[in-house]
Structure formats: C-alpha cells, structure tokens
Amino acid sequence: LPPSRVKSFILSGSLQRAMSSQAPNNQSGNESVVIAMSGGVDSSVAALLLQEAGASLVGLFMKNGVKVPDDEVQKKSCCSSADARDARMVAAKLGIPFQAVDLGPEFQDLINFFTGEYTRGRTPNPCALCNRDLKFGRLLEFADTLGCTAVATGHYARLELVDGRPVVRRGVDRAKDQSYQLFCVAERDLARTRLPLGDLEKPEVRAIAEANGIRTAKKPDSQEICFVPSNDYRKLLDERGVERHPGNFVDRRGKVLGKHDGTEHFTIGQRRGHGIGGGVPLYVIATRPAVGEVVLGPREQCFSTGLIATEANWIGIDPPAPGAPMRALVQVRYHHDAEPCTVSVLPEGRLEIVFDEPVSAVAPGQGAALYLEDRLIGGGWIESATAVEPEGSVREASSTPAGGR
C-alpha cells in the first residue's frame, strides 16, 4: 500500500468529513467518545482515526471472564489478559484514558444462552447478541456514566446520520464487512455510534497501524466467538456439562441411517462430522432434540423457500404497514450472500420473508438481516424455515420459539 494513501487518509479532510457525517450537527471534533478497545488492530486504528478527527476519547476493554490457556493465546484469541495489555499500551501510546471493565456475569449469561440454543436444536449467533447487549448496550451505559456523547467500535461497516437517523451500509471491504452482525442493534444506539473503519480495507488498516507505530499492526485477527478459545463449541458444551440428546440419524422418511452422540453436535447445512457415507453427500437438514434425531439428506433438501423471523428491528426506516409487503435483500448467515425476497410484517414483531429463489442452510437461531442494496435496514431472529421437499411440496422446518433473549 503506498505510504501516500495512508498519510492522505489521516491528514486530508476525508476522515473528518466521514466522522462529521456520523456526528449530530457536524460537531465530531467536539465529541467525547468511549471507544471499545479489544487489543486488536481494528479497534486500535479506530481509536487513532477518531483522535485524528478531533474526538476526545476514553478507551474501554471488556473482560469476558473466560480463562484462555497459554497455548491458545496466540491462536486468534480475544479478550485475554494479553489482549487487555495490548489495548492498554495502545491507549497509552495515543495518550487517552483507559479502563478495563469486568463483564464476566454478562458474558456468562451470553454463554448460557449459547449452550441452551444448541440443546433446543437451534444454531445461535452470539456475536450479534453481544453487539446488541454488550458492545453497544453496556458501552452506551458506560458512556452515559462518564458523560460521553457517543461510542465507537472497529466494525467494518459504514454509518452516517441523515436527518438524525442512522444509515448503515456495508463496509467498503466486502470480505470483512460486519454490517450483518448489527441487524439487531437498536436504532437509538446506532445513532450514537461511530464506525471509523467503514471506508477502509483491512490491508489499509494494518498499514495505518504500522505507519503510526501501533503495536497491534501485525496481530492476527480474533476468532468469531471470543468465549470459545479452542474454536470448538463442543468442547465448551462438555466443560459446562450440557445435557446431550443422543439418538439416530434418519432421512426425511424416518429411515434410520446410523447413530450419533447428541443432536448438539450438528447444525443445519453441516456436511462433515456425521460419518454416514455410501454415495451422495449428506447434509444436516434438521435436528430434533426431543426425540434425539438428526435428519440428513442430499444438498437439494437443505434449501428453503422462506422463513419466519421474530423480534423485528428496523434501522433508519419506518417499518412497512401490515398487509403492505416490501422488496428487500435478506442475508441469513454471516458468510452468506444476501438474496432477493419479499418481506411482510406480521403481528407481535414477527416477519414473513419469502425468497425469490430457494436459499440453503436457513437455520433457526441465526439472524435474518435485511438490506436495500448495500444499506442495512434491520432484521429479525430466524424462528422457522419452510423447507423444500424433493417432490416439490413444502413443509415447515423447526419452529422452536426464539425466546430467551
């Protein structure tokens, strides 16, 4: 990356203009901001850029209370004591106040939710929930306590205020775009949020860090689930003594294909790990903890024609009226593409989403993020999906209630 590109981004008016669009009344230079600092390169550079834009910062490290073994610290760990030290040293280099806060009890609630979802046959999305309740919810509480007007994170997403309402768009770096994980964050919280990295690509972020002597410039990215340092959620289930639901692998007609040690080991769309061979590759198309069944089928049986979502959240727009469907794009997992769909508002904060074309691996428990082109407008939690039958008929997949949030 040319050094001139790094220097021009920091010193020219581009950053100031970008941050001004995120601040009310274009007063970004007068803002006091609590910046979530994880000890990684993204939050370190976010802090640097906010400081260059004139914001008054307080760095905050959130301790999750999870013990990270020494041999795991260098394997894309997050929230470890080493991460806290890196965050503190970056803050010291920038000359900004720094605090580390213990959110162990809150993370324990999140972990309990995470493990409980697997026992209910669902595929949890703890990162979106953490964003809503901790990275923004608790962060804003700390900001209010400290008398700060806004919060900031190192998310790769673009955000600006238009007529006082947040407009969230995908990050310029589509490979790192994290707008999906913001689908459930309240509009009022996003209106007080600053996202300095949305217009940058990851190599540029690392180059800015290196050009400014930031110690985290070459630090590996953290893993997606910070409280699973081994990156094996099954190990976490074992450590917490989560009850398993062993039973049979079956096909959609109920034919027994084999045995398994627990439905909790499997998620919708999973291909490997079931040990059932002999011809066409088989995928997990449903889990039924109540009877200990994991349903397997060929890839075409992984597709759904639509879904029902709960806890609808709208960002920057008013929801459509009941009986007035709207066109949108929906993304059903973090690494999936957004697909064209029709969205209808149902009673009690529920959404009916019908895909233009069948979509694979729609898993209850995941988020359904809604977009208008690259603009995030909200979403909901997937409660059930309408699965395509081989014969062309359809039936409902798991319809376990999405409660507990």
Side-chain angles (χ1 to χ4, degrees), residues 193-374:
T193 298
R194 313 294 174 248
L195 304 177
L197 303 188
D199 287 310
L200 292 171
E201 296 185 355
K202 185 71 179 212
E204 294 178 292
V205 170
R206 291 197 182 278
I208 290 172
E210 190 166 8
N212 287 271
I214 301 296
R215 62 182 283 116
T216 57
K218 297 182 179 179
K219 188 173 181 178
D221 290 342
S222 63
Q223 64 184 41
E224 289 185 42
I225 305 177
C226 65
F227 53 79
V228 188
S230 67
N231 209 26
D232 182 359
Y233 77 88
R234 299 166 187 82
K235 183 177 179 181
L236 176 66
L237 298 181
D238 290 336
E239 292 171 352
R240 299 183 75 84
V242 174
E243 180 185 1
R244 297 295 200 277
H245 295 81
N248 294 324
F249 291 112
V250 299
D251 64 17
R252 276 195 169 167
R253 292 182 172 86
K255 178 183 177 182
V256 176
L257 305 175
K259 292 189 176 295
H260 62 81
D261 295 330
T263 58
E264 294 74 16
H265 295 172
F266 304 95
T267 183
I268 305 300
Q270 182 176 332
R271 175 183 172 185
R272 296 179 174 84
H274 52 66
I276 305 298
V280 177
L282 298 177
Y283 296 76
V284 176
I285 58 178
T287 60
R288 301 168 180 162
V291 293
E293 290 182 345
V294 175
V295 185
L296 302 179
R299 185 173 183 272
E300 57 266 24
Q301 292 184 11
C302 284
F303 285 81
S304 300
T305 59
L307 63 85
I308 299 294
T310 62
E311 300 180 49
N313 180 54
W314 299 94
I315 300 170
I317 71 168
D318 295 328
M326 70 175 293
R327 297 288 296 164
L329 301 172
V330 62
Q331 183 173 337
V332 299
R333 291 202 186 203
Y334 180 41
H335 294 296
H336 277 209
D337 293 332
E339 304 288 348
C341 67
T342 300
V343 183
S344 300
V345 173
L346 303 178
E348 301 179 344
R350 299 164 76 233
L351 301 172
E352 180 183 41
I353 299 174
V354 178
F355 311 132
D356 286 11
E357 299 289 340
V359 174
S360 67
V362 181
Q366 288 287 296
L370 296 173
Y371 291 84
L372 295 177
E373 296 183 349
D374 68 345

Side-chain angles (χ1 to χ4, degrees), residues 114-122 237 242-243 245 263-264 289-290:
F114 176 82
T115 57
E117 285 285 80
Y118 277 107
T119 67
R120 290 185 283 271
R122 296 163 60 85
L237 298 181
V242 174
E243 180 185 1
H245 295 81
T263 58
E264 294 74 16

Side-chain angles (χ1 to χ4, degrees), residues 10 12 27 71 74 143 145 317 342 373 381:
I10 296 178
S12 74
Q27 296 298 313
D71 61 345
Q74 298 302 322
T145 299
I317 71 168
T342 300
E373 296 183 349
W381 297 95

